[in-house]
Each structure stands twice: as structure tokens, then as C-alpha cells.
Amino acid sequence: MKLQEHNDQELVSMYLTGNESVLEELLRRHKTKIYTSIYLLVKDQYLAEDIFQDALIKVINTLRSGKYNEEGKFLPWVMRIAHNLVIDFFRKEKRAPSIISADGSDVFDMLQFHEESAEDRMLREQTHLDLRAMIHLLPDDQKEVLIMRHYADLSFKEIADLTDVSINTALGRMRYALSNLRKMMKVKEIS
């Protein structure tokens, strides 16, 4: 029986019993889909390749450690790993928006007419820390949509496709995330 005739679960079982060559077949089957999903999020070829490699390393390490138990759901499991690595990247990057004017300069750079005082800087940094802490408290599905929309700058269609839900569900999760953040901010103002 050729490797191509085996399903993913059979190939994973073969890999776990020491047949390293089956990993190539699993990669051949799924590389395009995994890489494309990463690229759609990060919109940068080299970054997508780096995250893809990190995901592959994590998959191999998890398989070798004996912690894999997804029972026939290899691709969704790998996609989840890749997706989580993308979210981790955006959390670390804290991507700031930029608006480029007709002459090619960033509008936000032009808006800073004065030196930021130490007090202003401390207040801004504390606000960012508070917001990040509040986002961390959101339920995972709301946090995921919020990060993908505001930090990864994805459309709700892209978010729906990547999280395997309808656009309405993605929109609803965003609405709940923003509502919950507003509630947390009001509680913080009162206390």
C-alpha cells in the first residue's frame, strides 16, 4: 500500500512507530493550506515561512513527545497550532496602525507637535498595559476575533474562514468583546 493511500491518522501512527518518511507525505498533503492560512493573517511571505517552520517544529516535537491525541483530526490540530503562533506573534508585535498621507509621510508622525512629557508617556504606557490585561481576561473566542481584527487587520470574512465560523458569529464575538471591554473599563473607572 502506497503512503498516498493512507489517511492522516494512519500516517501519524506510522510516524509514531518510527517511520520518519511519512512526515513528508503529511506535509505534501497539507503544506499549502497551512502556509496559506498563515500568509492570509500576516500578509508577509518571509514571516509566513518563519511561522510555518515554527509550527512544523512544534508539531514534530509534540508528536515525538507522545502528547498528540487528536484522533484523526491532524490538519485541524496543525492549523490550530499555526493559528496560535500567529496570534502570539501579533501579541508580541503590538502592531500600531499607520495612515500614510499623499506625500508618503505617516499622519501620526505629523500629529506629534510637542515632546511627550514623562507623565504623558507613563499614562499612555499604563493605559496600554491596562487594555492588554483586559483583553487577556476576555473569553478565548472573543479575544481571538479582537486580536485578528485590530492587530492583524483581517476582514470579518477572513476571520470567519480562519476560525471556521460564520461571518455573523465572528461579528457577534467582536460585539461581545467590545461590550465586555467597555464594562471592564467602567468598573476600573469606579474603583
Side-chain angles (χ1 to χ4, degrees), residues 118-173:
E119 184 180 343
D120 289 340
R121 187 177 67 251
M122 286 173 48
L123 186 61
R124 181 178 46 80
E125 288 170 359
Q126 186 58 50
T127 303
H128 283 264
L129 288 172
D130 291 346
L131 181 59
R132 205 170 301 133
M134 288 179 204
I135 290 171
H136 186 69
L137 295 172
L138 291 171
D140 287 342
D141 57 350
Q142 294 174 24
K143 183 181 354 177
E144 179 180 57
V145 171
L146 185 99
I147 289 170
M148 292 171 82
R149 180 74 183 122
H150 287 286
Y151 292 90
D153 199 28
L154 295 179
S155 71
F156 283 105
K157 168 122 180 59
E158 291 170 318
I159 293 168
D161 290 345
L162 286 165
T163 56
D164 213 18
V165 298
S166 71
I167 292 176
N168 285 340
T169 300
L171 287 165
R173 288 177 179 175

Side-chain angles (χ1 to χ4, degrees), residues 74-90:
F74 179 76
L75 180 60
W77 174 67
V78 176
M79 296 289 278
R80 199 166 51 249
I81 288 172
H83 181 79
N84 289 340
L85 288 171
V86 169
I87 289 174
D88 289 346
F89 167 77
F90 283 114

Side-chain angles (χ1 to χ4, degrees), residues 34-163:
I34 297 164
Y35 174 81
T36 303
S37 73
I38 295 168
Y39 180 79
L40 285 172
L41 286 169
V42 299
K43 297 177 174 76
D44 178 287
Q45 176 186 350
Y46 300 109
L47 179 58
E49 288 169 7
D50 286 348
I51 292 174
F52 176 80
Q53 293 298 324
D54 290 346
L56 188 58
I57 290 167
K58 196 164 190 159
V59 165
I60 291 169
N61 289 339
T62 303
L63 288 172
R64 286 185 177 161
S65 71
K67 293 179 183 169
Y68 173 78
N69 61 355
E70 295 297 315
E71 298 177 17
K73 297 182 175 118
F74 179 76
L75 180 60
W77 174 67
V78 176
M79 296 289 278
R80 199 166 51 249
I81 288 172
H83 181 79
N84 289 340
L85 288 171
V86 169
I87 289 174
D88 289 346
F89 167 77
F90 283 114
R91 279 189 194 134
K92 287 177 193 163
E93 282 295 302
K94 305 177 294 196
R95 289 218 169 154
S98 61
I99 300 171
I100 307 302
S101 65
D103 67 356
S105 59
D106 190 331
V107 171
F108 287 108
D109 289 341
M110 294 188 298
L111 294 176
Q112 288 186 304
F113 296 112
H114 67 283
E115 283 286 317
E116 185 178 39
S117 72
E119 184 180 343
D120 289 340
R121 187 177 67 251
M122 286 173 48
L123 186 61
R124 181 178 46 80
E125 288 170 359
Q126 186 58 50
T127 303
H128 283 264
L129 288 172
D130 291 346
L131 181 59
R132 205 170 301 133
M134 288 179 204
I135 290 171
H136 186 69
L137 295 172
L138 291 171
D140 287 342
D141 57 350
Q142 294 174 24
K143 183 181 354 177
E144 179 180 57
V145 171
L146 185 99
I147 289 170
M148 292 171 82
R149 180 74 183 122
H150 287 286
Y151 292 90
D153 199 28
L154 295 179
S155 71
F156 283 105
K157 168 122 180 59
E158 291 170 318
I159 293 168
D161 290 345
L162 286 165
T163 56

Side-chain angles (χ1 to χ4, degrees), residues 5-21:
E5 297 171 5
H6 290 281
N7 66 32
D8 288 353
Q9 187 57 34
E10 291 169 337
L11 291 175
V12 169
S13 295
M14 292 166 72
Y15 179 78
L16 294 175
T17 58
N19 186 346
E20 302 256 336
S21 64

